[in-house]
Amino acid sequence: MTPTTRTARLAALAGAIVLAPCATALAQDAALGEAVGEAAATTETTYIFNTLSFLMHGFLVMWMAAGFAMLEAGLVRSKNVATICLKNVSLYAVAGILYYLVGYNLMYGGESAFIGSFAVWSPDDSAALAGDFSGNYAAGSDWFFQMVFVATAASIVSGTLAERSKLWPFLIFTVVLTGFIYPIAGSWQWGGGWLSEMGFYDFAGSTLVHSVGGWAALTGALILGARKGKYRPDGGVNPMPGSSLPLATLGTFVLWLGWFGFNGGSQLAMGSAADVIAIATIYINTNLAAAAGVIAAMATSQVIYRKVDLTMALNGVLAGLVSITADPLSPHPVTALFVGAVGGILVTLAIPAIDKLKIDDVVGAISVHLICGIWGTIAVPISNAETSFATQLTGIVAYGAFTVVASTVVWYALKLTVGVRVNPEEEELGLDRAELGMEAYPEFGHGSRSI
Amino acid sequence: MTPTTRTARLAALAGAIVLAPCATALAQDAALGEAVGEAAATTETTYIFNTLSFLMHGFLVMWMAAGFAMLEAGLVRSKNVATICLKNVSLYAVAGILYYLVGYNLMYGGESAFIGSFAVWSPDDSAALAGDFSGNYAAGSDWFFQMVFVATAASIVSGTLAERSKLWPFLIFTVVLTGFIYPIAGSWQWGGGWLSEMGFYDFAGSTLVHSVGGWAALTGALILGARKGKYRPDGGVNPMPGSSLPLATLGTFVLWLGWFGFNGGSQLAMGSAADVIAIATIYINTNLAAAAGVIAAMATSQVIYRKVDLTMALNGVLAGLVSITADPLSPHPVTALFVGAVGGILVTLAIPAIDKLKIDDVVGAISVHLICGIWGTIAVPISNAETSFATQLTGIVAYGAFTVVASTVVWYALKLTVGVRVNPEEEELGLDRAELGMEAYPEFGHGSRSI
Amino acid sequence: MTPTTRTARLAALAGAIVLAPCATALAQDAALGEAVGEAAATTETTYIFNTLSFLMHGFLVMWMAAGFAMLEAGLVRSKNVATICLKNVSLYAVAGILYYLVGYNLMYGGESAFIGSFAVWSPDDSAALAGDFSGNYAAGSDWFFQMVFVATAASIVSGTLAERSKLWPFLIFTVVLTGFIYPIAGSWQWGGGWLSEMGFYDFAGSTLVHSVGGWAALTGALILGARKGKYRPDGGVNPMPGSSLPLATLGTFVLWLGWFGFNGGSQLAMGSAADVIAIATIYINTNLAAAAGVIAAMATSQVIYRKVDLTMALNGVLAGLVSITADPLSPHPVTALFVGAVGGILVTLAIPAIDKLKIDDVVGAISVHLICGIWGTIAVPISNAETSFATQLTGIVAYGAFTVVASTVVWYALKLTVGVRVNPEEEELGLDRAELGMEAYPEFGHGSRSI
Amino acid sequence: MKLVMAIVKPFKLDEVREALTSLGIQGLTVSEVKGFGRQKGQTEIYRGAEYSVSFLPKVKVEVAVADDLAARTVEAIQKAANTGRIGDGKVFVMEIVEAVRIRTGELNAEAL
Amino acid sequence: MKLVMAIVKPFKLDEVREALTSLGIQGLTVSEVKGFGRQKGQTEIYRGAEYSVSFLPKVKVEVAVADDLAARTVEAIQKAANTGRIGDGKVFVMEIVEAVRIRTGELNAEAL
Amino acid sequence: MKLVMAIVKPFKLDEVREALTSLGIQGLTVSEVKGFGRQKGQTEIYRGAEYSVSFLPKVKVEVAVADDLAARTVEAIQKAANTGRIGDGKVFVMEIVEAVRIRTGELNAEAL
Ligand SMILES: Nc1ncnc2c1ncn2[C@@H]1O[C@H](COP(=O)(O)OP(=O)(O)O)[C@@H](O)[C@H]1O
Ligand SMILES: Nc1ncnc2c1ncn2[C@@H]1O[C@H](COP(=O)(O)OP(=O)(O)O)[C@@H](O)[C@H]1O
Ligand SMILES: Nc1ncnc2c1ncn2[C@@H]1O[C@H](COP(=O)(O)OP(=O)(O)O)[C@@H](O)[C@H]1O
């Protein structure tokens, strides 16, 4: 099993829609090779295009780290803004380091159906440097692209647990999530493990990335408990409005942009007309699903509450994006609109429902990433004939069970040792002053001097 | 007439400067095809490069939606910030959906000189998948690139009408603008209609995108009227300073970045040396025009008012960008500096002049997009020998007349039915609380708890 | 000497690591040319890839201008935010214009070992248009890429001197820095001058860009003096906390993203498998160094101060990035982690040390860009066998001496003529009201009306 | 002397200032406050959770005046700030025992 | 009438308001202030430089009440805002010589 | 007891606090205000439209002191906040009828 497994598995699984173009492309390449009597030329170009796709789409996904940071900074209260910024910067760093040291090979190395191998990742491009381009892309470009994905999963957790989780324990959880939980779970599908053998389908990670992040967040929310004062003894909910909606809006736009990388790059190749046509289709479906998500969330919000809640609209964007991520390639544009719209409606209903359960999710990440991740994964067979609801459900349950169990163990271990939550006084004071000794907006009223 | 018409028309119109390289490129391709005995190889590469250009430049233009959102969020008062964010997110969604359902084919489908065809867009890449790459690029990539353009036109309107226009009526206007007005007008030129036949030249849309957006905004501003208290009975102007200049600055930088996509991608191809040389030239001219715009706006502001107004400098950037958009390829860099500098001066003078006319344009979009759009279109013949002032003026007038008439009908229809403007109490309270029931910055002074 | 010198020099200098792949690639191209009987095909593709790399990586570097703007806007006090935004917008404009008029040819034109030639830059792509692709890339794409680099150097200065330097004199300094100082210094190495002959190595500009900017900033800080009230008579330091840490965080993420362009594009080619493999390696090392920088800065901050300072973590990111910039290609990933981590520690120690010296660097740019720039340059021989500590030190000293002398002359000339610093009342009032007559956040408490 | 402290609706500030200026009053001090009173904020919904906004934005105007001007000051504010709708606010008058102009050290009536 | 002015810890505001409401008080005005007092801010470190935070965030509650309610008002605030820890704040009572409801022009007791 | 309320230029706050501390005063409360007075804001231009800034940023310092300290408090503030230029601000002194320390319930002099 090599790092190309994700490609291989996808091609093997995707059936008619993906397979056909790929086959065509390969056939073309072969024909071409014969025609020009020397396949290297074409193949080196293909190799460069594929690598470029990973790099370009990878930097777009990297940019999503900034999107999560701004979204979360806008949705927490001022007294916790600096801390959430710090968590987002540092979790991205931790994810990169851990995925290098352990994660990548645990996901893509080895032959087991349930886990990769333990080894520091190291690239081998000697074949390509010697003129054999059958590796398809620079090993490092694939690493880079996979690495930014694991950071996304970690970003989901920080938002849900904002305003109460302690910095260092949160980072330890991130170490385990990005170095072990995500990669082991990922190996089952993208690493060519048992779920991929079974025919589970998750093109860009509605389940592998978003649901896994969402399950980890949900587990954390249950173990940490709600923010002080969030739920009233009478059963009511005290809203704690976010400090800056333009920052939340900015974050959402950043994520929308980054998602073209997330889904587009997951084609894993750009070296043939078939691949680049697929990427164009993915961009369109991704955009339409997000558009439908925001409009559906706005309409739902207007109908139920008689007002349009901006934060619901923003969550609608993300709902549409997460929903289409399981399969942004097969659906007809109208189906993409449908998948996204359902996501937008789901998220608008899920957020207050989760609040009713007294699960305190500061930014709505569970509704967006977990619930829409499940929806998107279930919706795949609507347009993708090679997949089945039963297999999709198997995958959803498997990822849920594993992530919940593994996260529970880690969160409890942390809770019993270093503690995972600041004390009530620190929470009241705000994590910025309690944990960082600083304020995100230290001045006494804008436009005046700080005192 | 096919979706490639924009390319065809541009090539046909652009004369020596564009035509020559393109011809060279085609000749090269042909020669090459013969040389290697099998043209497919090169052509598939060309096809991929062209498609990649649309995708990459397209995501840069998509990012401009965030730029407009931040610029406008920074230039309105706090009490209207959440609403302007919501408008920007939702107009981008509406533009994408409408352009899919109606707009694209109304612009690029059909044979009429005045309007395309009514049909939902659907891509056909079967030729390329069968190895015939004469389509030049994936159909979907072109759709994606054209779609982000229409969103830009819609973004212009939201800024001018901020702080008083009602959410849903504004979105209905956006539906008509992006689904009908913009595409029909666009068909005259990029769709290969009568203006392109006549020799009108607008490389990336100084007129087709920016002026059209500007005319729609102007019409709206006249029909909605000024914000309460903006103009004093004594004829004076009450400034209503924007809430956050760093957000406005951020938005401007985002737009600057996105504009490389806007102008660069409008080369519509990247598969030959000639094309990529053209794109490099476009990047340079785009950057120099923007640079000249900001310096000229600063100098003008310093000379007239003895102070440099940051918001004028930011408008200067955009003025330079809009001005060069009609032809970012033909001008010598010094001409690009000149075109941008005139734009920067124009905008600095136009903003107070428009205020004198009691036309209340909250973010200066009319000055930036309409006035500099006209200037840029007129300036084309300075460096482009194949164009004439008369034809350029014809195009400007045609677009103005059509957009003003069509927008007037829509705005009035909305005014007489659902109403287009919030009532004075709601305006006083702020649209965020009145229409959304929320605040963009809900906390009572930063750094303290919300009460 | 042609504009390709940077490539040539790098290839010549880099020894085994870079040279080998390049040689391979060239050999391949040659073989290929023979094989297909007509080298033009491959070469045009190579030419497009190379140009695309400059354009794509160039727009990422352009985006860094926004990153510096946001970082600095977040780290100054509200009363100076609009001014720092204006400086950042206008310095980017000035850098582009000056690099066009003088800078580029002073850096890359002419045969002297110490200075280029005086001439307005003008591209010549006629060979490529005629089918000879030996120029390797569109001349304009290289110009664009080099231009965004000089803007980076200028951005460094604005941050250090924030809150006290006068607008126009600062821009005059920027004119000299970007039109003369940076290009002349750059000609010694990237322009193929004496340092490159000697074997100095600076892949993407730890010294040429970051240290040069840092030295100019340091000189300016010494000549302008500290902000009023920053240093207490008793020797203590009065912190003046930045107004918005989420903006500073956003700026850091923008810079992190842009740095993939900065380092990745400095491979100067993307047309062969070897090049694109190198770019992938560069992305990985860049990312790991930044990740190590932030974790190291956080750990250092935690150990020394028992709290994690978010602004230190952000500076840690940049420290890692600057440190790896001198050679992001040769190091093993573990070495990249080491280089970045040392950078993160250095910056955390340097910031208070520089404050002890009463050198008032508002955003920590001297620590980040100068100190880590030196560290990164010194660290090259650790992984790059073709370089030596002695030569690296020679380069560091040469750049330091020249930049300090030249900057001193310019700053003093400005000080004695127009003055470089606002008067104490203006400083107290804030530069926004004193120099611009406006406020960045003009409203009296967010959420309320402006009065 | 009296300190007249008025809590008014924010958008009435300019009218209040003009009314006071036309009485010959040369200075006043304004702060941003939030008010709780008979005027109830709407019930709002944030992310699906209902809540009532109990504090509404108001502006506090403080103006020190000579005793003989106090009644007219109160009257001027009451007229200028009146909209006839609930939540218009209050005026409270307190006694000032001494006033000093910092710049000159002038006292009481001369200090205003 | 009396103006009861209390400086309290920000997170105690809701309890104070509830305590006052249950006394039958119908209105109050709140502002954001910073307090300097015996409660010292921690010594913080910003970019390696130590400094002591001398001003801490507090909330000022101002409530005008009839004379006979003043004592109970003070007591209610004192109980509601009390945490027993340093920095709980102060209550000051001042005399109001006149109160007007802007909407109606009602005076004194009726104005509250 | 007296409540000494001073409106001063923002950058004078630290000096005022130090002057008060050296009198032995242990606490004070600060708020951000905007002042309208003889000191006129410059005429500014925003996007080409002229306007005069009528409200300038000031800081309000409120300090409760025992009667015998009032005069010295006023004097200390007046000296510390003085720049001799227009707009330096005012000090107003008012009577406090009761003061309570919330933490302990201590009254009046002991409460300060
Ligand atoms: N007893 C009070 N003490 C202090 N401020 C009060 C008091 N009552 C009302 N206010 C202030 O006056 C504002 C308006 O009062 P409200 O009862 O809503 O309306 P109205 O003044 O029309 O009776 C309140 O928002 C509050 O700021
Ligand atoms: N003399 C005073 N005048 C005005 N406000 C005061 C005075 N003393 C204290 N305060 C306010 O009361 C707050 C709490 O006082 P502090 O001395 O810290 O604690 P405590 O009230 O427990 O004695 C201070 O932060 C300040 O806002
Ligand atoms: N009558 C007044 N009542 C309340 N505050 C006042 C009054 N007059 C002035 N002030 C406050 O004092 C500040 C300074 O007053 P100003 O007339 O500008 O200068 P000066 O104090 O030097 O005479 C004003 O900005 C305002 O905040």
Side-chain angles (χ1 to χ4, degrees), chain D residues 2 32 34 65 69 71 79 82 84 86:
Chain D
K2 298 281 184 289
E32 192 187 38
K34 297 243 169 172
V65 291
L69 205 64
K79 275 198 186 134
N82 190 298
I86 197 159

Side-chain angles (χ1 to χ4, degrees), chain C residues 139-217:
Chain C
S141 68
D142 176 56
W143 182 86
F144 181 71
F145 188 70
Q146 305 303 335
M147 179 274 293
V148 289
F149 270 60
V150 66
T152 300
S155 295
I156 295 165
V157 182
S158 65
T160 295
L161 305 183
E163 306 208 308
R164 59 204 191 281
S165 67
K166 278 162 95 170
L167 174 65
W168 290 108
F170 168 76
L171 287 179
I172 297 173
F173 181 82
T174 304
V175 163
V176 183
L177 179 69
T178 62
F180 302 91
I181 300 178
Y182 172 94
I184 292 173
S187 79
W188 302 348
Q189 173 70 7
W190 290 345
W194 67 278
L195 272 167
S196 79
E197 301 288 348
M198 184 185 280
F200 180 63
Y201 190 87
D202 188 8
F203 190 84
S206 280
T207 288
L208 270 80
V209 181
H210 295 279
S211 292
V212 163
W215 288 118

